[in-house]
Amino acid sequence: MTRSAPRKALPLPLTLTTALTVALLTGCGTQVRNPVTGQLQRTVMDEQQEVATGAKNHQEILKEYGQYPDAKLQAYVNEVGQKLARQSHRAELVWHFTVLDSPVINAFALPGGYVYITRGLMAYLDSEADLAGVLGHEIGHVTARHGAQQATRQQNASLGVLAASVLGAVLEANGVSGAGRMASDVSQGVAAGLVASHSREHETEADRLGAEYLARSQYNPANMVDVIQVLKSQETYATDQARAQGRQVSGGNDWLATHPSNDQRLQDIRTVATRYPGPDQGRYADDGRQRYLSAIQGMAFGDSPEQGLVRGAQFLHPELGIALTAPEGWRIQNGADTLTVVSADGQAALLMKLAPTSAGRDHAQVIRQAVQPTAGHTQPVQLNGLKATRFVGQRRNSQGQVQNVQATVVDGPKGQVYLLVPMARHAQAQSLHAQALAAAEGSFRPLNAADQALARPWVVVKDTYPRTGWSGLAARSALAGAGTPAEPALKLLNGYYGGGEPKVGSAVKNVVARP
Ligand SMILES: [Zn+2]
C-alpha cells in the first residue's frame, strides 16, 4: 500500500499499453527496415515515433515504480548497459538504463532504447555477466523492434492483472476468489520475470540477440543460461512455498501459459550459447562477480517502508504508522492500493485500503461511497484506541442480486481513513473464518515500539559462506524469523536453490536489517 498515487507493483506499465494503442490507431503504417533482420516491415511506428513513445512513457514508469535512489548503482548499471548497447544492432540510439525501486522480479524495455531492471531482480543475480545477460536480452527486444510489433498482445496481457486490484470489482464479480486470484497473479508475475508479454518467437530472438551482444562485449553468453535459471528457480521456490503452506499451486491456465516456459527458454538458450565459443580461444573477460557484489552492497531488499512491509504474520507500514497481524496460516498480499489477508484455503479474506479521499473523513460518507449499501446499520467501535465505525448491511451487485456486506471504517493515527472489509466465498466459509476475520480486523493498530523495531528495512550485504553452512548463514540473516524458513530463501538468493553449496570462505549474499 502506498500513501498516495500508488506505485504499481505490476509487471507491465498500463501507460505504455495506452500509448502504444493510440499509436496503433493513429499510425499510418509506414515501412521500416528492421535493424536486426535487415528486412522491410510494415509498422505503425518509425524510429522517431519509437523514441518519442519511449521518452513519454519513461516519465510514467518513473512515476509509477520510482527510480531506485542510489546514483552509484544507477551509474554502474548504465555503464554495463551502454557497453552492450554499443555492440548492438542499434548502437546509434540514445540508450537509457534505469534501476527501478521495486521488489518485484522484473526487467523490461520500452521502444526507442529505454531499458529497466528492478532492484528485486538485481538481488538474485550473481555477477556483472548475469546483469549483462538481463540487459542484453532487453536490448534485443528494442533492437528487433518487438515493442512496436507487440503492442496489441501487450494490451491483452496486461488487462487481467490490472483489473484485479480494485475493491469494487472484487466485491462485485468474484468475491474472495477474485482476491485469491489477484494474489496468485502477483506471485506468478514475479516468477515469470523479464516481461512475460512477448511471444515465444520474440523471447527466443531476444535471448539469441542478448547472447550475441554478451559475446561481443566479452561476457560469456552462457550467463544467459544463469539468468533463465534464476527465473526458473523463482518458479520452483514459489511452488514449493505454496505447497508447504498448504496453498493451492496455481494451475497452468492463467496468463503465464501464453508465454514460453522458463524450462523451454533454458533449453533454447543452452543451444544458442554454444554458438558463441568466445573470442580468445574461448576465454572471456572475468564475469565481474566481485564488482557486482560490491555494487549491490547495501541495496534495499524486499518491500520498502514507503510501500509497507510484510514480516511473517505482521504487516507494518512505518510511513502510514499502522500495523496489522494476519491470523495463523493466512497470507498477506501487499498490493499497490489494497492489502489482502487471505485464509490458507482461499475461502476468506480481509481487504484493507485507504478510503477514497473524495469521501472526506466522515465515516458514514466513506461507507456510502465505498460500499454503496442498500440497507444496513452502523455502530461506533474502537480499534486499539482508534475511532472506528462498523457497518453491517446489504448491497446490490451489478446483476441486481442482494449481497450481505460488512465494512469497518477507521481513523488512522496520521490522518488517513481506512476501510477494512471482511469477505468470504459463501456462508459456510463466513462462519468457519468469522473468528479469524474478526481477529485480523481487531489487530489493526498504530505502529508500536515492537512493530517499529521489526519494520527496519532490509538490505543485501556481502557475507562469507561459513563452515556451518546454510544454517550458519541463516543464523545471522534478517530472513530468519521472518515467517518463512530462511535457508531455502538464502539458497535462492545465492543461486543454490537447485542444490549444491558455495565453498567455505567464499563471498555470498545475505540480507540484514539496516542499522
Ligand atoms: Zn523478453
Side-chain angles (χ1 to χ4, degrees), residues 502-514:
K503 268 196 219 123
V504 171
S506 65
V508 288
K509 290 176 278 182
N510 204 342
V511 172
V512 299
R514 200 162 60 198

Side-chain angles (χ1 to χ4, degrees), residues 23-24 27-33 40-47 49-50 145 147-149:
L24 262 186
C28 48
T30 50
Q31 298 258 334
V32 161
R33 195 168 295 282
L40 281 174
Q41 283 179 327
R42 257 183 90 76
T43 183
V44 292
M45 231 191 261
D46 61 19
E47 181 163 308
Q49 286 166 314
E50 264 191 84
R145 310 187 74 260
Q149 295 178 47

Side-chain angles (χ1 to χ4, degrees), residues 351-424:
L351 306 191
M352 176 179 87
K353 60 186 291 156
L354 285 164
T357 45
S358 55
R361 300 182 49 82
D362 177 56
H363 289 188
Q365 175 63 20
V366 170
I367 289 164
R368 268 197 300 279
Q369 195 171 321
V371 180
Q372 298 175 335
T374 49
H377 62 273
T378 59
Q379 175 194 355
V381 288
Q382 290 263 326
L383 282 185
N384 301 299
L386 299 169
K387 188 182 147 226
T389 303
R390 186 161 292 143
F391 168 82
V392 179
Q394 281 91 41
R395 70 192 297 272
R396 225 173 257 286
N397 67 14
S398 57
Q399 281 87 47
Q401 295 155 325
V402 174
Q403 294 177 316
N404 290 326
V405 61
Q406 289 181 49
T408 302
V409 181
V410 198
D411 281 347
K414 293 192 177 177
Q416 278 87 4
V417 180
Y418 297 85
L419 192 62
L420 296 163
V421 183
M423 290 166 46

